[in-house]
Amino acid sequence: MRTGAARGQVGHFHEAGFYSSDAEFRALIVPFAEEGIAAGEPVIIGYDDRKNALIRSWLTDLSAVTFPADSGVYATPTRAIAAYRRLFELHVAQGAGQIRITGELPNSGNGGMFDGWDRYEAAVNTVWQDFPVWGLCLYDTATAAPVVRDVVERTHPRIVSPSGVRRASDRFQVVADFEALPPVPDPLEETSPMIELVDRSAAEARRALAQIGRGQVTDTILDDLLLGVSEAVSNALIHGRPPATVRIWAAPDRIVVSVHDQGRGPADPLAGLVPAAGNAATLGLGLWLIHQLDIDVALKHADDGFTVRLRGATTTG
Amino acid sequence: MRIIGPVGSYRELGLQDHLCWVHGDRGDYRPHLGEFFRDGLGRGLRVAYLGSGDARMVRELVGRVAGTGPLRSGKAVRVISFEEFYGAEEPVDPAAVTKRYDAATQEALADGYRGLRIGADMTDLVRAPDRQDAFARCEVLLERYSSRHPLSAMCGYRRELGDAVAQFACLHAAVPAGLTPFQVFACGDGAVGLLGEFDQACQGAFERALRRIEPAPGDSTLIFDLSQIQFMDHHALLSLDSYAEACPVPVVVRSAPPLVRRAARVLGLEHLGHLRLGDL
């Protein structure tokens, strides 16, 4: 019997499940995948290597199953949204009426960082609406932090249990109402910055950053930070409310930059996660570019204004 | 070797340099023009002052700045009226102007000189906003011509032109430091070189400069050399992409620094755009 999304479901059918053992994980994922395989629907599976191997051993027919080989798909939320959109377009072009996708996002429980993925989980309720996608996000209760569980319940309209019981999440928030997690302050932000620039051009911010950052981080990371700070300062000067303040901190192998203005920041909850619609010269494209770089990006809306924080490190993170 | 990029102070210019010189008034400009001409004469060039006004006054001016005394019949120093090169028609025809520069350069060579050196204060010619586009196109063609022929030029623009100065300055291979964040110059092989920093702050100026660039007649592609770019943001990349889309011949970009390649990849321009990424 078909469960979950009805055949011909239009839009993203977004479910989450929690498991506390491999047996529960199996109970959640095998029916989801097997029903898809039986219905001739493409099934996309993205877990870590150990879980992917388990899944391969449990399924009867892997011919319709895709394990995205590129682990970089989860490098940043923005890149994941774009990569999956391309994959969905491909499947729809090949005639798929329903696409099943399941995976586990980076979080401290699996060795990753959850920062920013809360906005992703909220956004995919909207940004994949053009595709017939059934998404099942599974989280390990033993390792997922309480804050992750909180976000999962607020970003998935439906929760499925290992016994197969489905319920609506009474804590679900549509993307427009979603309260994103505040960025965790970086310890460096509590210290005096190496430099503070007020109402200066993007070029001056780049020069200061290049001077401080050269030798601290790799050239590749420094280039990403330069692209990021330039876009953020341009946005602050054009769309924000003065003064626009750039602060740069440096520690061995690490650079933190904040760009703050006293405006309210972008009202669009999807800002940075997808390209802004319409004119390319809008605020949204710069933020979208920043979010695809190999640096950590955090947006902070507060009473005193809007801040874009960029962090680049020679090591991961 | 041509001077490409910002120059901190006046120094000797070679046979093919194209310099924008920004100054406060003619009194400020003439000493530099004098040095420029004396240096040219020392290099075996014919020097020419391009100007307007009474011919005798102009001759005396040239004599003074060249330090050669009032001119008699020396062929090494010439005075050319603006009308002779730029014509009387409005707007000026950049291709026709370039042909006249070429004819004068070839004549200098035929007369045994190593090339032609021209000094001109362009301020009065470009003061009217509706003339600026045509004169800017002339600068683009002269920049291209001087990159391949022994024509050196010092184009004077007075500060009183205000913001308009930068739109002409950015079309010269050599400019005073701090005047424009970017330059569009001619490479010796016909490519269009981009130099400096291209971001949102100079977006309008860059798009205006791009509008003045056309493929050379008969060229099957237009190549942009990006090797001298220090920074380029997504606004500038998209402007370049739009330019490529509208260009009548395919546009190829080459030698993009890692930061530019990075931004282009993130924007998806390498697959979806109208730029052909040459030897990336």
Side-chain angles (χ1 to χ4, degrees):
Chain A
M1 186 188 80
R2 186 180 182 87
T3 57
R7 193 186 304 279
Q9 151 89 17
V10 175
H12 185 196
F13 188 89
H14 196 196
E15 284 186 324
F18 294 99
Y19 61 89
S20 57
S21 65
D22 283 350
E24 288 190 351
F25 180 62
R26 178 176 185 165
L28 282 159
I29 205 157
V30 167
F32 175 80
E34 289 288 6
E35 285 174 17
I37 293 165
E41 298 167 358
V43 179
I44 302 163
I45 295 178
Y47 288 88
D48 60 27
D49 290 345
R50 189 187 77 85
K51 290 200 188 76
N52 280 344
L54 283 174
I55 295 165
R56 281 193 172 92
S57 72
W58 293 334
L59 298 182
T60 51
D61 177 7
L62 294 172
S63 60
V65 180
T66 311
F67 293 85
D70 179 11
S71 57
V73 72
Y74 286 121
T76 75
T78 298
R79 267 149 68 173
I81 287 171
Y84 279 129
R85 277 191 70 97
R86 285 194 294 272
L87 197 56
F88 299 157
E89 280 166 0
L90 188 68
H91 281 302
V92 168
Q94 290 171 347
Q98 182 83 69
I99 303 161
R100 297 189 186 215
I101 175 170
T102 178
E104 184 176 18
L105 295 178
N107 67 83
S108 57
N110 58 24
M113 282 176 58
F114 193 62
D115 301 21
W117 291 100
D118 58 327
R119 295 186 66 223
Y120 169 95
E121 284 282 40
V124 295
N125 288 304
T126 295
V127 299
W128 290 345
Q129 277 301 98
D130 298 344
F131 301 100
V133 173
W134 179 358
L136 176 64
C137 306
L138 299 182
Y139 287 87
D140 186 342
T141 52
T143 58
V147 69
V148 173
R149 187 165 184 136
D150 162 63
V151 165
V152 170
E153 289 176 349
R154 289 193 290 121
T155 53
H156 294 77
R158 282 165 288 275
I159 307 287
V160 57
S161 72
S163 61
V165 175
R166 288 183 154 77
R167 65 175 173 88
S169 173
D170 51 13
R171 301 189 59 231
F172 176 67
Q173 298 171 328
V174 296
V175 67
D177 299 332
F178 177 67
E179 296 158 29
L181 299 174
V184 179
D186 190 290
L188 276 181
E189 292 178 273
E190 303 300 317
T191 67
S192 295
M194 302 275 288
I195 196 167
E196 182 173 290
L197 304 171
V198 179
D199 282 339
R200 308 287 276 276
S201 68
E204 287 173 276
R206 292 195 302 268
R207 266 189 282 285
L209 175 58
Q211 203 167 11
I212 292 169
R214 191 145 289 128
Q216 292 276 359
V217 292
T218 62
D219 288 351
T220 310
I221 293 297
L222 184 56
D223 277 355
D224 278 8
L225 286 167
L226 288 168
L227 284 166
V229 78
S230 194
E231 299 286 358
V233 172
S234 293
N235 279 345
L237 293 175
I238 295 167
H239 305 285
R241 194 172 155 203
T245 306
V246 177
R247 297 184 180 91
I248 305 173
W249 294 265
D253 300 328
R254 214 158 78 76
I255 296 287
V256 176
V257 183
S258 78
V259 180
H260 174 268
D261 72 75
Q262 295 197 350
R264 302 180 65 178
D268 184 356
L270 302 177
L273 294 174
V274 290
N279 191 339
T282 60
L283 167 72
L285 201 58
L287 272 179
W288 181 66
L289 184 146
I290 294 174
H291 278 78
Q292 295 184 79
L293 302 171
D294 286 331
I295 53 179
D296 173 69
V297 183
L299 308 182
K300 183 180 169 192
H301 298 261
D303 291 342
D304 68 343
F306 175 65
T307 306
V308 178
R309 186 190 65 191
L310 312 171
R311 295 189 293 179
T314 290
T315 50
T316 55
Chain B
M1 184 69 112
R2 299 181 86 212
I3 297 175
I4 309 282
V7 288
S9 60
Y10 177 81
R11 62 185 178 97
E12 287 186 356
L13 295 171
L15 270 54
Q16 294 176 265
D17 282 316
H18 184 209
L19 171 74
C20 174
W21 188 260
V22 179
H23 56 98
D25 57 38
R26 287 203 174 95
D28 181 22
Y29 178 59
R30 284 171 187 164
H32 296 294
L33 194 61
E35 281 183 57
F36 183 58
F37 281 162
R38 275 193 291 275
D39 175 73
L41 292 168
R43 291 169 185 269
L45 302 174
R46 168 173 284 163
V47 301
Y49 178 79
L50 191 60
S52 56
D54 174 73
R56 201 181 63 152
M57 183 275 283
V58 174
R59 280 197 172 82
E60 284 176 4
L61 167 67
V62 172
R64 188 165 63 244
V65 299
T68 57
L71 289 183
R72 296 182 186 90
S73 60
K75 283 190 169 180
V77 181
R78 281 194 61 197
V79 174
I80 301 169
S81 72
F82 279 132
E83 291 72 23
E84 186 177 337
F85 268 16
Y86 286 90
E89 67 270 29
E90 291 285 346
V92 298
D93 178 350
V97 171
T98 308
K99 277 184 185 165
R100 293 174 197 133
Y101 274 93
D102 177 47
T105 304
Q106 298 305 326
E107 187 183 326
L109 292 172
D111 289 345
Y113 297 95
R114 293 178 66 208
L116 178 65
R117 172 164 290 190
I118 287 186
D121 186 338
M122 304 298 291
T123 308
D124 294 333
L125 291 182
V126 303
R127 195 183 303 279
D130 60 354
R131 306 183 85 190
Q132 291 174 353
D133 183 64
F135 277 92
R137 290 172 190 274
C138 289
E139 290 287 19
V140 170
L141 294 187
L142 281 178
E143 167 61 17
R144 182 184 292 163
Y145 184 83
S146 70
S147 73
R148 294 169 146 189
H149 300 89
L151 172 70
S152 48
M154 183 156 76
C155 308
Y157 290 91
R158 291 203 292 281
R159 287 193 190 91
E160 68 192 52
L161 288 170
D163 293 342
V165 169
Q167 69 167 300
F168 294 103
C170 71
L171 304 174
H172 292 74
V175 297
L179 196 63
T180 171
F182 73 90
Q183 290 169 249
V184 178
F185 66 97
C187 303
D189 62 357
V192 176
L194 300 182
L195 179 147
E197 301 187 71
F198 301 75
D199 67 12
Q200 202 280 332
C202 60
Q203 177 68 7
F206 179 48
E207 289 183 352
R208 189 168 50 196
L210 281 175
R211 285 197 295 272
R212 287 155 178 172
I213 297 167
E214 293 174 12
D219 281 3
S220 57
T221 57
L222 178 57
I223 299 170
F224 280 89
D225 184 299
L226 309 191
S227 61
Q228 302 295 312
I229 290 180
Q230 290 164 323
F231 184 82
M232 183 171 258
D233 75 357
H234 85 269
H235 298 97
L237 268 167
L238 292 175
S239 296
L240 200 53
D241 188 55
S242 297
Y243 175 86
E245 183 180 15
C247 189
V249 299
V251 171
V252 177
V253 298
R254 73 180 185 200
S255 306
L259 181 143
V260 178
R261 291 204 302 268
R262 172 75 164 142
R265 285 210 178 92
V266 170
L267 292 170
L269 291 181
E270 83 234 87
H271 299 304
L272 305 174
H274 305 91
L275 300 170
R276 293 187 188 180
L277 300 189
D279 57 353
L280 283 182

